[in-house]
Coordinates of all heavy atoms in Angstrom, one line a residue:
M536 N -7.1 -148.9 -83.9 CA -8.2 -147.9 -84.1 C -9.5 -148.4 -83.6 O -10.0 -149.4 -84.1 CB -8.3 -147.5 -85.6 CG -9.3 -146.5 -85.9 SD -9.4 -146.0 -87.6 CE -7.9 -144.9 -87.7
P537 N -10.0 -147.8 -82.5 CA -11.3 -148.4 -81.9 C -12.5 -148.2 -82.8 O -12.5 -147.2 -83.6 CB -11.4 -147.5 -80.6 CG -10.6 -146.3 -80.8 CD -9.5 -146.7 -81.7
K538 N -13.3 -149.2 -82.8 CA -14.6 -149.1 -83.5 C -15.7 -148.7 -82.5 O -15.7 -149.2 -81.4 CB -15.0 -150.4 -84.1 CG -14.1 -150.8 -85.3 CD -14.7 -151.9 -86.1 CE -13.8 -152.4 -87.2 NZ -13.5 -151.3 -88.2
I539 N -16.5 -147.7 -82.9 CA -17.6 -147.3 -82.1 C -18.9 -147.6 -82.7 O -19.1 -147.5 -84.0 CB -17.6 -145.7 -81.9 CG1 -16.2 -145.3 -81.5 CG2 -18.6 -145.2 -80.9 CD1 -15.7 -145.8 -80.1
V540 N -19.8 -148.1 -81.9 CA -21.2 -148.5 -82.4 C -22.2 -147.5 -82.0 O -22.4 -147.3 -80.8 CB -21.6 -149.9 -81.9 CG1 -22.9 -150.3 -82.4 CG2 -20.5 -150.9 -82.2
F541 N -22.8 -146.8 -83.0 CA -23.8 -145.8 -82.7 C -25.2 -146.5 -83.0 O -25.3 -147.1 -84.1 CB -23.7 -144.5 -83.5 CG -22.5 -143.7 -83.1 CD1 -21.3 -143.8 -83.8 CD2 -22.5 -142.9 -82.0 CE1 -20.2 -143.0 -83.5 CE2 -21.4 -142.1 -81.6 CZ -20.3 -142.1 -82.4
I542 N -26.1 -146.3 -82.2 CA -27.5 -146.9 -82.4 C -28.5 -145.8 -82.4 O -28.6 -145.1 -81.4 CB -27.8 -148.0 -81.4 CG1 -26.7 -149.0 -81.3 CG2 -29.2 -148.6 -81.7 CD1 -26.9 -150.1 -80.2
E543 N -29.2 -145.7 -83.5 CA -30.3 -144.7 -83.6 C -31.5 -145.1 -82.8 O -31.6 -146.3 -82.5 CB -30.7 -144.5 -85.0 CG -29.6 -143.9 -85.9 CD -30.1 -143.6 -87.3 OE1 -31.2 -143.0 -87.5 OE2 -29.4 -143.9 -88.3
P544 N -32.4 -144.2 -82.4 CA -33.5 -144.6 -81.6 C -34.4 -145.6 -82.3 O -35.1 -146.4 -81.6 CB -34.3 -143.2 -81.5 CG -33.3 -142.2 -81.6 CD -32.3 -142.7 -82.6
N545 N -34.4 -145.7 -83.6 CA -35.1 -146.7 -84.3 C -34.4 -148.0 -84.5 O -34.9 -149.0 -85.1 CB -35.5 -146.2 -85.7 CG -34.3 -145.9 -86.6 OD1 -33.2 -146.2 -86.2 ND2 -34.6 -145.3 -87.8
G546 N -33.2 -148.2 -83.9 CA -32.5 -149.4 -83.9 C -31.4 -149.5 -84.9 O -30.7 -150.5 -84.9
V547 N -31.4 -148.6 -85.9 CA -30.4 -148.7 -86.9 C -29.0 -148.5 -86.3 O -28.8 -147.6 -85.5 CB -30.6 -147.6 -88.0 CG1 -29.5 -147.5 -89.0 CG2 -31.9 -147.9 -88.7
Q548 N -28.0 -149.4 -86.7 CA -26.7 -149.3 -86.1 C -25.7 -148.8 -87.1 O -25.8 -149.1 -88.3 CB -26.3 -150.7 -85.6 CG -27.1 -151.2 -84.4 CD -26.4 -152.4 -83.8 OE1 -25.3 -152.8 -84.0 NE2 -27.2 -153.1 -83.0
H549 N -24.7 -148.1 -86.6 CA -23.6 -147.6 -87.5 C -22.3 -148.0 -86.7 O -22.2 -147.6 -85.6 CB -23.7 -146.1 -87.6 CG -25.0 -145.6 -88.1 ND1 -25.3 -145.4 -89.5 CD2 -26.1 -145.2 -87.5 CE1 -26.5 -144.9 -89.6 NE2 -27.0 -144.8 -88.4
V550 N -21.5 -148.7 -87.4 CA -20.2 -149.0 -86.8 C -19.1 -148.2 -87.5 O -19.0 -148.3 -88.8 CB -19.8 -150.5 -86.9 CG1 -18.5 -150.8 -86.3 CG2 -20.9 -151.3 -86.3
V551 N -18.4 -147.3 -86.8 CA -17.4 -146.4 -87.4 C -16.1 -146.6 -86.7 O -16.0 -146.9 -85.6 CB -17.9 -144.9 -87.3 CG1 -19.3 -144.8 -87.9 CG2 -17.9 -144.5 -85.9
D552 N -15.0 -146.3 -87.5 CA -13.7 -146.2 -87.0 C -13.4 -144.9 -86.3 O -13.9 -143.8 -86.8 CB -12.7 -146.4 -88.1 CG -12.7 -147.8 -88.7 OD1 -12.9 -148.8 -87.9 OD2 -12.6 -148.0 -89.9
A553 N -12.7 -144.9 -85.2 CA -12.4 -143.7 -84.5 C -10.9 -143.6 -84.2 O -10.4 -144.5 -83.7 CB -13.2 -143.7 -83.1
A554 N -10.4 -142.5 -84.6 CA -9.0 -142.3 -84.3 C -8.8 -142.0 -82.8 O -9.5 -141.3 -82.2 CB -8.4 -141.1 -85.1
E555 N -7.8 -142.7 -82.2 CA -7.5 -142.4 -80.8 C -7.2 -140.9 -80.6 O -6.5 -140.3 -81.4 CB -6.3 -143.3 -80.3 CG -6.6 -144.8 -80.3 CD -5.4 -145.6 -79.9 OE1 -4.8 -145.2 -78.9 OE2 -5.2 -146.6 -80.6
G556 N -7.6 -140.4 -79.5 CA -7.4 -139.0 -79.2 C -8.5 -138.1 -79.6 O -8.6 -136.9 -79.1
R557 N -9.4 -138.6 -80.5 CA -10.5 -137.8 -80.8 C -11.6 -137.9 -79.8 O -11.6 -138.9 -79.0 CB -11.1 -138.3 -82.2 CG -10.2 -138.2 -83.4 CD -10.1 -136.8 -83.9 NE -11.2 -136.5 -84.7 CZ -11.5 -135.3 -85.2 NH1 -10.7 -134.3 -84.9 NH2 -12.6 -135.1 -86.0
S558 N -12.5 -137.0 -79.7 CA -13.6 -137.1 -78.8 C -14.7 -137.9 -79.4 O -14.8 -138.0 -80.7 CB -14.1 -135.7 -78.3 OG -14.9 -135.1 -79.3
L559 N -15.5 -138.5 -78.6 CA -16.7 -139.2 -79.1 C -17.6 -138.2 -79.9 O -18.2 -138.7 -80.9 CB -17.5 -139.8 -77.9 CG -18.6 -140.8 -78.1 CD1 -18.2 -141.9 -79.1 CD2 -19.1 -141.3 -76.8
M560 N -17.7 -137.0 -79.5 CA -18.5 -136.0 -80.3 C -17.9 -135.8 -81.6 O -18.6 -135.8 -82.6 CB -18.6 -134.7 -79.5 CG -19.2 -133.6 -80.3 SD -18.2 -132.7 -81.4 CE -17.3 -131.6 -80.4
E561 N -16.6 -135.7 -81.7 CA -16.0 -135.4 -83.0 C -16.2 -136.6 -84.0 O -16.5 -136.4 -85.2 CB -14.5 -135.2 -82.9 CG -14.2 -133.9 -82.2 CD -12.7 -133.7 -81.8 OE1 -12.1 -134.7 -81.3 OE2 -12.2 -132.6 -81.9
V562 N -16.1 -137.8 -83.4 CA -16.4 -139.0 -84.2 C -17.8 -139.1 -84.7 O -18.1 -139.4 -85.9 CB -16.0 -140.3 -83.4 CG1 -16.4 -141.5 -84.2 CG2 -14.5 -140.3 -83.1
A563 N -18.8 -138.7 -83.8 CA -20.2 -138.7 -84.2 C -20.4 -137.7 -85.3 O -21.1 -138.0 -86.3 CB -21.0 -138.4 -82.9
V564 N -19.9 -136.5 -85.1 CA -20.2 -135.4 -86.1 C -19.5 -135.7 -87.4 O -20.1 -135.6 -88.5 CB -19.7 -134.1 -85.5 CG1 -19.7 -133.0 -86.6 CG2 -20.5 -133.6 -84.3
D565 N -18.2 -136.2 -87.3 CA -17.5 -136.6 -88.6 C -18.3 -137.6 -89.4 O -18.2 -137.6 -90.6 CB -16.1 -137.1 -88.2 CG -15.2 -136.1 -87.7 OD1 -15.5 -134.9 -87.8 OD2 -14.1 -136.4 -87.3
N566 N -19.0 -138.4 -88.7 CA -19.7 -139.5 -89.4 C -21.2 -139.2 -89.5 O -22.0 -140.1 -89.9 CB -19.5 -140.8 -88.6 CG -18.1 -141.4 -88.8 OD1 -17.8 -142.0 -89.8 ND2 -17.2 -141.1 -87.8
L567 N -21.6 -138.0 -89.3 CA -23.0 -137.5 -89.5 C -24.0 -138.3 -88.7 O -25.1 -138.6 -89.3 CB -23.3 -137.5 -91.0 CG -22.3 -136.7 -91.9 CD1 -22.7 -136.8 -93.4 CD2 -22.3 -135.2 -91.5
M568 N -23.7 -138.6 -87.5 CA -24.6 -139.4 -86.7 C -25.8 -138.4 -86.3 O -25.6 -137.3 -85.8 CB -24.0 -139.9 -85.4 CG -22.9 -141.0 -85.7 SD -23.7 -142.5 -86.4 CE -23.1 -142.3 -88.1
P569 N -27.0 -138.8 -86.6 CA -28.2 -138.0 -86.3 C -28.4 -137.7 -84.8 O -28.2 -138.6 -84.0 CB -29.3 -138.7 -86.9 CG -28.9 -140.2 -87.0 CD -27.4 -140.1 -87.2
G570 N -28.7 -136.5 -84.5 CA -29.1 -136.2 -83.1 C -27.9 -135.7 -82.3 O -28.1 -135.3 -81.1
V571 N -26.7 -135.8 -82.8 CA -25.5 -135.3 -82.1 C -24.9 -134.1 -82.8 O -24.6 -134.2 -84.0 CB -24.4 -136.4 -81.9 CG1 -23.2 -135.9 -81.2 CG2 -25.0 -137.6 -81.1
G572 N -24.7 -133.0 -82.1 CA -24.0 -131.9 -82.7 C -22.8 -131.5 -81.8 O -22.5 -132.2 -80.8
G573 N -22.2 -130.5 -82.3 CA -21.0 -130.0 -81.5 C -20.9 -128.5 -81.6 O -19.8 -128.0 -81.9
D574 N -22.0 -127.9 -81.2 CA -22.1 -126.4 -81.5 C -21.0 -125.6 -80.8 O -20.6 -124.6 -81.3 CB -23.5 -125.9 -81.0 CG -24.6 -126.4 -82.0 OD1 -24.3 -127.3 -82.9 OD2 -25.8 -126.0 -81.8
C575 N -20.6 -126.0 -79.6 CA -19.6 -125.2 -78.9 C -18.2 -125.6 -79.2 O -17.2 -125.1 -78.6 CB -19.9 -125.2 -77.4 SG -19.4 -126.8 -76.6
G576 N -18.0 -126.6 -80.0 CA -16.7 -127.1 -80.4 C -16.1 -128.0 -79.4 O -14.9 -128.4 -79.5
G577 N -16.9 -128.4 -78.4 CA -16.4 -129.3 -77.4 C -15.9 -128.7 -76.1 O -15.2 -129.4 -75.3
C578 N -16.4 -127.5 -75.8 CA -15.9 -126.9 -74.5 C -17.0 -127.0 -73.4 O -16.9 -126.2 -72.5 CB -15.5 -125.4 -74.8 SG -16.8 -124.3 -75.3
C579 N -17.9 -127.9 -73.6 CA -18.8 -128.2 -72.5 C -19.8 -127.1 -72.2 O -20.0 -126.8 -71.0 CB -18.1 -128.7 -71.3 SG -19.1 -129.7 -70.1
S580 N -20.3 -126.4 -73.2 CA -21.1 -125.3 -73.0 C -22.4 -125.2 -73.8 O -23.1 -124.2 -73.9 CB -20.4 -123.9 -73.1 OG -19.9 -123.8 -74.5
C581 N -22.7 -126.3 -74.5 CA -23.9 -126.3 -75.4 C -24.8 -127.5 -75.2 O -26.0 -127.4 -75.3 CB -23.6 -126.2 -76.8 SG -22.9 -127.7 -77.6
A582 N -24.3 -128.7 -74.9 CA -25.0 -129.9 -74.6 C -25.7 -130.5 -75.9 O -26.5 -131.4 -75.8 CB -26.1 -129.8 -73.5
T583 N -25.3 -129.9 -77.1 CA -25.9 -130.5 -78.3 C -25.2 -131.9 -78.6 O -25.7 -132.6 -79.5 CB -25.6 -129.6 -79.5 OG1 -24.3 -129.3 -79.7 CG2 -26.4 -128.3 -79.3
C584 N -24.2 -132.2 -77.9 CA -23.5 -133.5 -78.1 C -24.0 -134.6 -77.2 O -23.4 -135.7 -77.1 CB -22.0 -133.3 -77.9 SG -21.6 -132.9 -76.3
H585 N -25.1 -134.4 -76.5 CA -25.7 -135.4 -75.6 C -26.0 -136.7 -76.3 O -26.6 -136.7 -77.4 CB -26.9 -134.8 -74.9 CG -27.7 -135.7 -74.1 ND1 -29.1 -135.9 -74.2 CD2 -27.3 -136.6 -73.1 CE1 -29.4 -136.8 -73.3 NE2 -28.4 -137.2 -72.6
A586 N -25.6 -137.8 -75.6 CA -26.0 -139.1 -76.1 C -26.0 -140.0 -74.9 O -25.6 -139.6 -73.8 CB -25.1 -139.6 -77.2
Y587 N -26.3 -141.3 -75.1 CA -26.4 -142.3 -74.0 C -25.4 -143.4 -74.2 O -25.4 -144.0 -75.3 CB -27.8 -142.9 -73.9 CG -28.9 -141.9 -73.9 CD1 -29.7 -141.6 -75.0 CD2 -29.2 -141.2 -72.7 CE1 -30.7 -140.6 -74.9 CE2 -30.2 -140.3 -72.6 CZ -30.9 -140.0 -73.8 OH -31.9 -139.0 -73.7
V588 N -24.5 -143.6 -73.3 CA -23.5 -144.7 -73.3 C -24.2 -145.9 -72.9 O -25.0 -145.9 -71.9 CB -22.4 -144.3 -72.4 CG1 -21.4 -145.5 -72.3 CG2 -21.6 -143.1 -72.9
A589 N -24.0 -147.0 -73.6 CA -24.6 -148.3 -73.2 C -24.3 -148.6 -71.7 O -23.1 -148.4 -71.3 CB -24.2 -149.4 -74.1
P590 N -25.2 -149.1 -70.9 CA -25.0 -149.3 -69.5 C -23.7 -150.0 -69.2 O -23.0 -149.7 -68.2 CB -26.2 -150.1 -69.1 CG -27.3 -149.6 -70.0 CD -26.6 -149.5 -71.3
E591 N -23.4 -151.0 -70.0 CA -22.2 -151.8 -69.7 C -20.9 -151.0 -69.9 O -19.8 -151.5 -69.5 CB -22.1 -153.1 -70.5 CG -22.0 -152.9 -72.0 CD -23.4 -152.8 -72.7 OE1 -24.4 -152.4 -72.0 OE2 -23.4 -153.1 -73.9
W592 N -21.0 -149.9 -70.5 CA -19.8 -149.0 -70.7 C -19.7 -147.9 -69.7 O -18.6 -147.2 -69.7 CB -19.8 -148.5 -72.2 CG -19.3 -149.5 -73.1 CD1 -20.1 -150.4 -73.9 CD2 -17.9 -149.7 -73.5 NE1 -19.2 -151.1 -74.7 CE2 -17.9 -150.7 -74.5 CE3 -16.7 -149.1 -73.1 CZ2 -16.7 -151.2 -75.0 CZ3 -15.6 -149.6 -73.7 CH2 -15.6 -150.6 -74.6
V593 N -20.7 -147.6 -69.0 CA -20.7 -146.4 -68.1 C -19.5 -146.4 -67.2 O -18.8 -145.4 -67.1 CB -22.0 -146.3 -67.3 CG1 -21.9 -145.3 -66.2 CG2 -23.2 -146.1 -68.2
D594 N -19.2 -147.5 -66.6 CA -18.1 -147.5 -65.6 C -16.7 -147.7 -66.3 O -15.7 -147.6 -65.6 CB -18.3 -148.7 -64.6 CG -19.4 -148.4 -63.7 OD1 -19.8 -147.2 -63.5 OD2 -20.0 -149.4 -63.1
K595 N -16.7 -147.9 -67.6 CA -15.4 -148.0 -68.3 C -14.9 -146.6 -68.8 O -13.8 -146.6 -69.4 CB -15.5 -149.0 -69.4 CG -15.9 -150.4 -69.0 CD -16.1 -151.3 -70.1 CE -16.5 -152.7 -69.7 NZ -16.9 -153.6 -70.8
L596 N -15.7 -145.6 -68.6 CA -15.4 -144.3 -69.1 C -15.0 -143.4 -67.9 O -15.5 -143.7 -66.8 CB -16.5 -143.6 -69.8 CG -17.0 -144.4 -71.1 CD1 -18.2 -143.6 -71.7 CD2 -15.9 -144.5 -72.1
P597 N -14.2 -142.4 -68.1 CA -13.9 -141.5 -67.0 C -15.3 -140.9 -66.5 O -16.2 -140.6 -67.3 CB -13.1 -140.4 -67.6 CG -12.5 -141.0 -68.8 CD -13.5 -142.0 -69.3
P598 N -15.4 -140.7 -65.2 CA -16.6 -140.1 -64.6 C -16.9 -138.7 -65.1 O -16.0 -138.0 -65.5 CB -16.5 -140.2 -63.1 CG -15.0 -140.2 -62.9 CD -14.4 -140.9 -64.1
R599 N -18.2 -138.4 -65.1 CA -18.6 -137.0 -65.4 C -18.0 -136.0 -64.4 O -18.1 -136.3 -63.2 CB -20.1 -136.9 -65.5 CG -20.8 -137.8 -66.5 CD -22.3 -137.6 -66.6 NE -23.0 -137.9 -65.4 CZ -24.2 -138.4 -65.4 NH1 -24.9 -138.7 -66.5 NH2 -24.8 -138.7 -64.2
Q600 N -17.5 -134.9 -64.9 CA -17.0 -133.9 -64.1 C -18.2 -132.9 -63.8 O -19.3 -133.0 -64.4 CB -15.9 -133.1 -64.7 CG -14.7 -134.0 -65.0 CD -14.1 -134.7 -63.8 OE1 -13.7 -133.9 -62.9 NE2 -14.0 -136.0 -63.7
E601 N -17.9 -132.0 -62.9 CA -19.0 -131.1 -62.4 C -19.6 -130.2 -63.5 O -20.8 -130.1 -63.6 CB -18.4 -130.1 -61.3 CG -19.5 -129.3 -60.7 CD -18.9 -128.4 -59.5 OE1 -17.8 -128.7 -59.1 OE2 -19.6 -127.5 -59.1
D602 N -18.8 -129.7 -64.4 CA -19.4 -128.9 -65.5 C -20.2 -129.7 -66.4 O -21.3 -129.3 -66.9 CB -18.3 -128.1 -66.3 CG -17.2 -129.0 -66.8 OD1 -17.1 -130.2 -66.4 OD2 -16.3 -128.5 -67.5
E603 N -19.8 -131.0 -66.7 CA -20.7 -131.8 -67.5 C -22.0 -132.2 -66.8 O -23.1 -132.1 -67.4 CB -19.9 -133.1 -67.8 CG -20.7 -134.0 -68.8 CD -20.0 -135.3 -69.1 OE1 -18.8 -135.5 -68.7 OE2 -20.6 -136.2 -69.8
E604 N -21.9 -132.4 -65.5 CA -23.1 -132.7 -64.7 C -24.1 -131.5 -64.8 O -25.3 -131.7 -65.0 CB -22.8 -132.9 -63.2 CG -22.0 -134.2 -63.0 CD -22.9 -135.4 -62.8 OE1 -24.1 -135.3 -63.1 OE2 -22.3 -136.5 -62.5
M605 N -23.6 -130.3 -64.7 CA -24.4 -129.1 -64.7 C -25.1 -129.0 -66.1 O -26.3 -128.7 -66.2 CB -23.6 -127.9 -64.4 CG -23.2 -127.8 -63.0 SD -22.1 -126.3 -62.6 CE -23.1 -125.0 -63.3
M606 N -24.3 -129.2 -67.2 CA -24.9 -129.1 -68.5 C -26.0 -130.2 -68.8 O -27.0 -129.9 -69.5 CB -23.8 -129.2 -69.6 CG -22.9 -128.0 -69.6 SD -23.7 -126.4 -69.9 CE -24.4 -126.6 -71.5
L607 N -25.8 -131.3 -68.2 CA -26.7 -132.4 -68.4 C -28.0 -132.2 -67.8 O -29.1 -132.8 -68.1 CB -26.1 -133.8 -67.9 CG -25.0 -134.4 -68.9 CD1 -24.3 -135.5 -68.2 CD2 -25.6 -134.8 -70.2
E608 N -28.1 -131.3 -66.8 CA -29.3 -130.9 -66.1 C -30.3 -130.3 -67.1 O -31.5 -130.3 -66.9 CB -29.1 -130.0 -64.9 CG -28.4 -130.7 -63.8 CD -28.1 -129.7 -62.7 OE1 -28.5 -128.6 -62.7 OE2 -27.4 -130.2 -61.7
G609 N -29.8 -129.7 -68.2 CA -30.6 -129.0 -69.2 C -31.0 -129.8 -70.4 O -31.7 -129.2 -71.3
V610 N -30.6 -131.0 -70.5 CA -30.8 -131.8 -71.8 C -32.2 -132.4 -71.7 O -32.8 -132.6 -70.7 CB -29.8 -132.9 -72.0 CG1 -28.4 -132.3 -72.1 CG2 -29.9 -134.0 -71.0
I611 N -32.8 -132.7 -72.9 CA -34.0 -133.4 -73.0 C -33.8 -134.9 -72.7 O -32.9 -135.5 -73.2 CB -34.6 -133.2 -74.4 CG1 -34.9 -131.8 -74.7 CG2 -35.9 -134.1 -74.6 CD1 -35.3 -131.5 -76.1
D612 N -34.6 -135.4 -71.8 CA -34.6 -136.8 -71.4 C -33.2 -137.3 -70.9 O -32.6 -138.2 -71.4 CB -35.0 -137.7 -72.6 CG -35.3 -139.1 -72.2 OD1 -35.5 -139.4 -71.0 OD2 -35.2 -140.0 -73.1
P613 N -32.8 -136.6 -69.8 CA -31.5 -137.1 -69.2 C -31.7 -138.5 -68.6 O -32.8 -138.8 -68.0 CB -31.2 -136.0 -68.2 CG -32.5 -135.5 -67.8 CD -33.3 -135.5 -69.1
R614 N -30.6 -139.3 -68.6 CA -30.7 -140.6 -68.0 C -29.4 -140.8 -67.2 O -28.4 -140.1 -67.4 CB -30.9 -141.7 -69.1 CG -32.1 -141.5 -69.9 CD -32.1 -142.5 -71.0 NE -33.1 -142.2 -72.1 CZ -33.2 -142.8 -73.3 NH1 -32.3 -143.7 -73.6 NH2 -34.1 -142.4 -74.1
P615 N -29.4 -141.9 -66.4 CA -28.1 -142.1 -65.6 C -26.9 -142.4 -66.5 O -25.8 -142.2 -66.1 CB -28.5 -143.4 -64.8 CG -29.9 -143.3 -64.6 CD -30.5 -142.7 -65.9
N616 N -27.2 -142.9 -67.8 CA -26.1 -143.1 -68.7 C -25.9 -142.0 -69.7 O -25.2 -142.2 -70.7 CB -26.3 -144.5 -69.4 CG -27.6 -144.5 -70.2 OD1 -28.5 -143.8 -69.9 ND2 -27.6 -145.4 -71.2
S617 N -26.4 -140.8 -69.4 CA -26.2 -139.7 -70.3 C -24.8 -139.2 -70.2 O -24.2 -139.2 -69.1 CB -27.1 -138.5 -69.9 OG -28.5 -138.7 -70.2
R618 N -24.2 -138.8 -71.4 CA -22.9 -138.2 -71.4 C -22.9 -137.0 -72.4 O -23.7 -137.1 -73.4 CB -21.8 -139.2 -71.8 CG -21.5 -140.3 -70.9 CD -21.1 -139.8 -69.5 NE -19.9 -138.9 -69.5 CZ -18.7 -139.2 -69.1 NH1 -18.5 -140.5 -68.7 NH2 -17.7 -138.4 -69.1
L619 N -22.1 -136.0 -72.2 CA -21.8 -135.1 -73.2 C -20.6 -135.7 -74.0 O -19.5 -135.9 -73.4 CB -21.4 -133.7 -72.6 CG -22.5 -133.0 -71.9 CD1 -22.0 -131.6 -71.5 CD2 -23.8 -132.9 -72.8
T620 N -20.8 -136.1 -75.2 CA -19.8 -136.9 -75.9 C -18.5 -136.1 -76.2 O -17.5 -136.8 -76.4 CB -20.4 -137.5 -77.2 OG1 -20.9 -136.4 -78.0 CG2 -21.6 -138.4 -77.0
C621 N -18.6 -134.8 -76.1 CA -17.3 -134.1 -76.3 C -16.4 -134.3 -75.1 O -15.2 -133.9 -75.2 CB -17.6 -132.6 -76.5 SG -18.3 -131.7 -75.1
Q622 N -16.9 -134.8 -74.0 CA -16.1 -134.9 -72.8 C -15.5 -136.3 -72.7 O -14.9 -136.7 -71.7 CB -16.9 -134.6 -71.6 CG -17.5 -133.2 -71.5 CD -16.4 -132.2 -71.6 OE1 -15.5 -132.1 -70.7 NE2 -16.3 -131.4 -72.7
V623 N -15.7 -137.1 -73.7 CA -15.2 -138.5 -73.7 C -14.1 -138.6 -74.8 O -14.4 -138.5 -76.0 CB -16.3 -139.5 -74.0 CG1 -15.7 -140.9 -74.1 CG2 -17.4 -139.4 -73.0
Q624 N -12.8 -138.7 -74.3 CA -11.7 -138.8 -75.2 C -11.5 -140.3 -75.5 O -11.4 -141.1 -74.6 CB -10.5 -138.2 -74.7 CG -10.6 -136.7 -74.3 CD -11.0 -135.9 -75.5 OE1 -10.4 -136.0 -76.6 NE2 -12.0 -135.0 -75.4
L625 N -11.3 -140.7 -76.7 CA -11.3 -142.1 -77.1 C -9.9 -142.6 -77.1 O -8.9 -142.0 -77.5 CB -11.9 -142.3 -78.5 CG -13.4 -142.0 -78.5 CD1 -13.9 -141.9 -79.9 CD2 -14.2 -142.9 -77.7
T626 N -9.7 -143.8 -76.6 CA -8.5 -144.6 -76.6 C -8.7 -146.0 -77.2 O -9.9 -146.3 -77.4 CB -7.9 -144.7 -75.2 OG1 -8.7 -145.6 -74.4 CG2 -7.9 -143.4 -74.4
A627 N -7.7 -146.7 -77.3 CA -7.8 -148.1 -77.8 C -8.7 -148.9 -76.9 O -9.4 -149.9 -77.4 CB -6.5 -148.7 -77.9
E628 N -8.8 -148.6 -75.6 CA -9.6 -149.3 -74.7 C -11.1 -149.2 -75.0 O -11.9 -149.9 -74.4 CB -9.3 -148.9 -73.2 CG -7.9 -149.2 -72.8 CD -7.6 -148.7 -71.4 OE1 -8.5 -148.0 -70.8 OE2 -6.5 -148.9 -70.9
H629 N -11.5 -148.2 -75.8 CA -12.9 -148.0 -76.1 C -13.4 -148.8 -77.3 O -14.5 -148.5 -77.8 CB -13.1 -146.5 -76.3 CG -12.8 -145.7 -75.0 ND1 -12.0 -144.6 -75.0 CD2 -13.2 -145.9 -73.7 CE1 -11.9 -144.1 -73.8 NE2 -12.6 -144.9 -73.0
D630 N -12.5 -149.7 -77.8 CA -13.0 -150.5 -79.0 C -14.3 -151.2 -78.6 O -14.3 -151.9 -77.6 CB -11.9 -151.4 -79.3 CG -12.2 -152.2 -80.6 OD1 -12.7 -151.6 -81.6 OD2 -12.0 -153.4 -80.7
G631 N -15.3 -151.0 -79.4 CA -16.6 -151.7 -79.2 C -17.6 -150.9 -78.4 O -18.7 -151.3 -78.1
L632 N -17.2 -149.6 -78.0 CA -18.0 -148.8 -77.3 C -19.4 -148.6 -78.0 O -19.4 -148.3 -79.2 CB -17.4 -147.4 -77.1 CG -18.2 -146.3 -76.4 CD1 -18.7 -146.6 -75.0 CD2 -17.4 -145.0 -76.4
V633 N -20.5 -148.8 -77.2 CA -21.8 -148.6 -77.8 C -22.5 -147.4 -77.3 O -22.5 -147.1 -76.1 CB -22.7 -149.9 -77.4 CG1 -24.1 -149.7 -78.0 CG2 -22.0 -151.2 -78.0
V634 N -23.0 -146.6 -78.2 CA -23.6 -145.3 -77.9 C -25.0 -145.2 -78.5 O -25.1 -145.4 -79.7 CB -22.7 -144.1 -78.4 CG1 -23.4 -142.8 -78.1 CG2 -21.3 -144.2 -77.8
E635 N -26.0 -145.0 -77.6 CA -27.3 -144.8 -78.1 C -27.5 -143.3 -78.4 O -27.3 -142.5 -77.6 CB -28.3 -145.3 -77.1 CG -28.1 -146.8 -76.8 CD -28.9 -147.2 -75.5 OE1 -29.8 -146.5 -75.1 OE2 -28.6 -148.2 -75.0
L636 N -28.0 -143.0 -79.6 CA -28.2 -141.6 -80.0 C -29.6 -141.1 -79.5 O -30.5 -141.9 -79.4 CB -28.2 -141.5 -81.6 CG -26.9 -142.0 -82.2 CD1 -27.0 -142.2 -83.7 CD2 -25.8 -140.9 -81.9
P637 N -29.6 -139.9 -79.2 CA -30.9 -139.3 -78.7 C -31.9 -139.1 -79.9 O -31.4 -139.2 -81.0 CB -30.5 -138.0 -78.1 CG -29.3 -137.6 -78.9 CD -28.6 -138.8 -79.2
A638 N -33.1 -138.9 -79.6 CA -34.1 -138.5 -80.6 C -33.6 -137.2 -81.3 O -33.1 -136.3 -80.6 CB -35.5 -138.3 -80.0
P639 N -33.7 -137.2 -82.6 CA -33.3 -136.0 -83.3 C -34.1 -134.7 -82.9 O -35.2 -134.8 -82.5 CB -33.6 -136.3 -84.8 CG -33.7 -137.8 -84.9 CD -34.2 -138.2 -83.5
W640 N -33.4 -133.6 -83.0 CA -34.1 -132.3 -82.7 C -35.0 -132.0 -83.8 O -34.7 -132.4 -85.0 CB -33.1 -131.2 -82.5 CG -31.8 -131.6 -81.9 CD1 -31.6 -132.3 -80.7 CD2 -30.5 -131.3 -82.4 NE1 -30.3 -132.4 -80.5 CE2 -29.6 -131.9 -81.5 CE3 -30.0 -130.7 -83.6 CZ2 -28.2 -131.8 -81.8 CZ3 -28.7 -130.6 -83.8 CH2 -27.8 -131.2 -82.9
N641 N -36.0 -131.2 -83.6 CA -36.8 -130.7 -84.6 C -36.5 -129.3 -85.0 O -35.8 -128.6 -84.3 CB -38.3 -130.8 -84.2 CG -38.8 -132.2 -84.1 OD1 -38.4 -133.1 -85.0 ND2 -39.5 -132.5 -83.1
Ligands
FES1578 FE1 -20.9 -128.5 -76.7 FE2 -20.3 -130.9 -76.1 S1 -20.1 -130.0 -78.0 S2 -21.1 -129.4 -74.8

């Protein structure tokens, strides 16, 4: 069972267990990670699940597809390591994945 490390903008870290086959968004929402939502249920149409993958993990994940790229154009503070976490399906290879959470919405 991979462990995922979520880091809040203030530096607080949360290490959570993730079942293989779940999406990164589902794991974040299940564990009440601040700043990550899943309003569309994971069908890549809301971008509330936006977060930042640690730079060393960017190339270890499947690349962003066209629909994810389009949705990321509308997020607040997009970065090269931005991902829609609903588009990342977790496997055992993701053990230790580090994800920086975005600033919470108001
Ligand atoms: Fe809506 Fe990811 S949950 S785009």
Side-chain angles (χ1 to χ4, degrees):
M536 181 175 283
K538 290 193 182 302
I539 309 297
V540 181
F541 291 101
I542 304 176
E543 295 186 44
N545 63 7
V547 172
Q548 293 191 16
H549 308 267
V550 181
V551 304
D552 291 320
E555 292 178 48
R557 299 280 283 169
S558 74
L559 189 52
M560 175 275 282
E561 291 170 320
V562 173
V564 170
D565 288 350
N566 288 280
L567 305 176
M568 293 296 104
V571 176
D574 289 6
C575 74
C578 63
C579 202
S580 62
C581 73
T583 59
C584 64
H585 172 230
Y587 308 102
V588 174
E591 65 270 23
W592 278 93
V593 169
D594 292 336
K595 297 176 183 172
L596 299 178
R599 298 186 296 215
Q600 300 298 304
E601 186 177 348
D602 53 352
E603 183 180 356
E604 293 276 6
M605 288 176 53
M606 290 303 297
L607 285 170
E608 291 176 7
V610 303
I611 296 171
D612 192 19
R614 302 176 195 167
N616 58 336
S617 286
R618 291 303 303 255
L619 294 183
T620 57
C621 69
Q622 300 302 298
V623 177
Q624 302 300 313
L625 296 170
T626 71
E628 294 177 358
H629 298 128
D630 185 43
L632 173 62
V633 178
V634 179
E635 299 168 18
L636 299 167
W640 326 305
N641 292 318

